[in-house]
Amino acid sequence: MTTKAIALKTLTATAVLCALTATAQAATIGGTDVTYGGYVKLDAMWSDYSAGAPAGTSVGRDFYVPSTTPVGNDDNSDAVFDMHARESRFNFGTATLLDNGKTVKTHIELDFLASAPGGNERVSNSYSPRIRHAFISYDGWLFGQTWSNFQNVGALPEALDFIGPAEGTVFVRQSQIKYTTGAWSFSLENPESTITTPGGGMAVTDDASLPDFTARYTHKADWGNFVVAALARQLTYKVGGVDADETSFGISASGMVKFGEDNLKFMLTQGKGLGRYVGVNVAHGAVLNGNDLDAIDSTSGFIAYQHKWNSKWRSTFLYSFFSADNNTDLLSISGDPTESSQSYSANILYSPVKRLTFGAEFKHAERELESGVDGDMDRLQFSVKYAF
């Protein structure tokens, strides 16, 4: 048997053992540590919409996306039931010690959410895998796709919903070059603009001449952590002879405070033209006004408290909000955009063993347009998750 075949057989056997023992370590081959992990999750959701349910193909039926909450006639209440395993994911990583004593790492992660349907719910329920993370890290540098440096993933509360505080959190994964030194990190990230066009439509433009720039400071202590992040970027619209651009700025403060076994997580973000960076793009970055862009100001945030009832039971109580300061002088152009969104949720989670969790969660969400037209959703979700 060749050395390559032996190595492959060793890797396969160790990976199987890894899955059975629920460890992340898969194998060490030729000085490279190979790891494998992820989780399998089933979600069952009963959702009641005050203004009619979104189409079954809507991403808002898979997890809470504020912009998909229908608004309008309160007499059009509609309840729907959905069940899927699309949040399930797996990741693969390597770590190699180099001759200079430093380590180069790689990480790739895939799941099946928000991807173009590869099948249907009649027979196959097939869905295309999508890339979440793919990056290289070396000597303080990161190259590839991962969470934006403007986002504090550690502030996200434990929820059954895929995001949880969807309208209140910065939530972006994208390609970037990031450098971290001590408590500071800086990044150049992929630019993209979402612009409101005449009639209230949306244009997604990818013609910025500069990358998005972020800077972040993280303070860690025994009591928890506190993160401040800043964003500067260029909004652009260069279509049909129009050549418009506008500068966008934002700042976000977030963190976690420990209270014994309990914890409090929070985030507050304010900025001009943040668009896709907050609320899962519940508001666009700017409105096209002739040959100019009018950036949309917004404020968003959340607060979540997690209580440990005992070693196996825990609950998270969450409030999340988003508010846009739309220019009412431009409503004839922008149509009737989202003015605010908010949600409340509470869950109960049970882990009979460390990596297996059963849970139930209730969420109430509301969305209101600038005209005052609104709608809401009540969702009861049940989930089972096993992390490996």
Side-chain angles (χ1 to χ4, degrees):
M1 185 177 293
T2 65
T3 302
K4 182 177 180 181
I6 293 173
L8 181 59
K9 184 177 180 180
T10 302
L11 174 60
T12 303
T14 312
V16 172
L17 179 61
C18 160
L20 293 176
T21 58
T23 62
Q25 182 67 40
T28 300
I29 302 175
T32 297
D33 293 333
V34 181
T35 57
Y36 177 82
Y39 62 75
V40 175
K41 183 170 182 255
L42 174 70
D43 292 308
M45 297 169 289
W46 178 87
S47 307
D48 187 15
Y49 297 89
S50 67
T57 56
S58 170
V59 68
R61 295 276 293 269
D62 292 330
F63 61 95
Y64 173 52
V65 178
S67 61
T68 66
T69 301
V71 298
N73 189 354
D74 289 341
D75 296 329
N76 195 28
S77 178
D78 191 12
V80 292
F81 179 81
D82 295 290
M83 184 182 294
H84 66 83
R86 297 182 68 179
E87 191 183 319
S88 301
R89 68 183 61 163
F90 60 92
N91 58 67
F92 179 83
T94 67
T96 304
L97 181 63
L98 304 178
D99 293 340
N100 62 4
K102 296 180 180 180
T103 300
V104 60
K105 299 180 179 180
T106 67
H107 183 86
I108 297 176
E109 183 173 87
L110 304 175
D111 73 0
F112 308 90
L113 273 173
S115 60
N120 56 70
E121 295 185 14
R122 289 181 289 112
V123 180
S124 64
N125 283 269
S126 303
Y127 298 100
S128 304
R130 64 166 189 165
I131 186 171
R132 286 173 52 84
H133 303 276
F135 61 84
I136 304 163
S137 55
Y138 171 75
D139 198 24
W141 291 90
L142 181 146
F143 308 91
Q145 176 171 308
T146 190
W147 298 111
S148 170
N149 192 47
F150 189 52
Q151 178 181 355
N152 179 11
V153 181
L156 286 176
E158 186 176 20
L160 296 187
D161 180 73
F162 175 59
I163 300 176
E167 62 270 276
T169 185
V170 177
F171 193 86
V172 178
R173 288 187 304 272
Q174 59 193 7
S175 296
Q176 61 192 269
I177 300 172
K178 181 170 72 172
Y179 180 68
T180 302
T181 175
W184 289 93
S185 57
F186 307 89
S187 70
L188 300 176
E189 305 190 8
N190 184 59
E192 190 96 346
S193 304
T194 54
I195 306 299
T196 301
T197 55
M202 180 181 76
V204 180
T205 65
D206 191 16
D207 45 23
S209 59
L210 297 170
D212 295 356
F213 174 76
T214 78
R216 170 173 162 169
Y217 178 79
T218 302
H219 175 73
K220 296 181 180 180
D222 293 340
W223 50 264
N225 62 74
F226 181 71
V227 174
V228 178
L231 167 72
R233 67 181 185 132
Q234 179 188 47
L235 301 172
T236 60
Y237 185 87
K238 300 178 182 180
V239 180
V242 177
D243 188 352
D245 65 80
E246 179 63 280
T247 302
S248 167
F249 297 100
I251 188 166
S252 183
S254 59
M256 184 268 289
V257 180
K258 300 176 184 177
F259 296 94
E261 291 294 315
D262 296 356
N263 67 74
L264 178 74
K265 294 185 175 182
F266 62 91
M267 179 178 288
L268 182 64
T269 306
Q270 207 283 327
K272 171 187 176 183
L274 294 181
R276 65 187 180 87
Y277 274 89
V278 295
V280 204
N281 211 166
V282 66
H284 302 164
V287 177
L288 179 65
N289 181 21
N291 291 320
D292 298 314
L293 292 178
D294 187 85
I296 301 171
D297 291 351
S298 65
T299 303
S300 58
F302 68 83
I303 186 167
Y305 187 82
Q306 184 175 67
H307 176 66
K308 300 288 184 66
W309 302 102
N310 54 43
S311 61
K312 296 183 178 181
W313 292 87
R314 60 197 182 277
S315 293
T316 298
F317 305 92
L318 167 66
Y319 170 68
S320 175
F321 77 94
F322 171 88
S323 177
D325 185 13
N326 297 302
N327 186 343
T328 55
D329 293 337
L330 299 180
L331 293 184
S332 60
I333 299 173
S334 62
D336 196 4
T338 297
E339 189 276 330
S340 65
S341 177
Q342 63 178 343
S343 64
Y344 311 82
S345 66
N347 62 39
I348 181 72
L349 308 177
Y350 170 64
S351 296
V353 294
K354 184 178 180 180
R355 296 177 180 269
L356 179 64
T357 299
F358 300 86
E361 180 171 278
F362 175 77
K363 179 182 289 290
H364 174 78
E366 303 170 358
R367 183 166 76 100
E368 183 174 340
L369 306 185
E370 190 64 40
S371 65
V373 177
D374 60 8
D376 61 63
M377 177 198 74
D378 291 318
R379 172 170 289 172
L380 186 60
Q381 179 170 344
F382 300 93
S383 302
V384 180
K385 174 182 172 181
Y386 178 70
F388 53 88

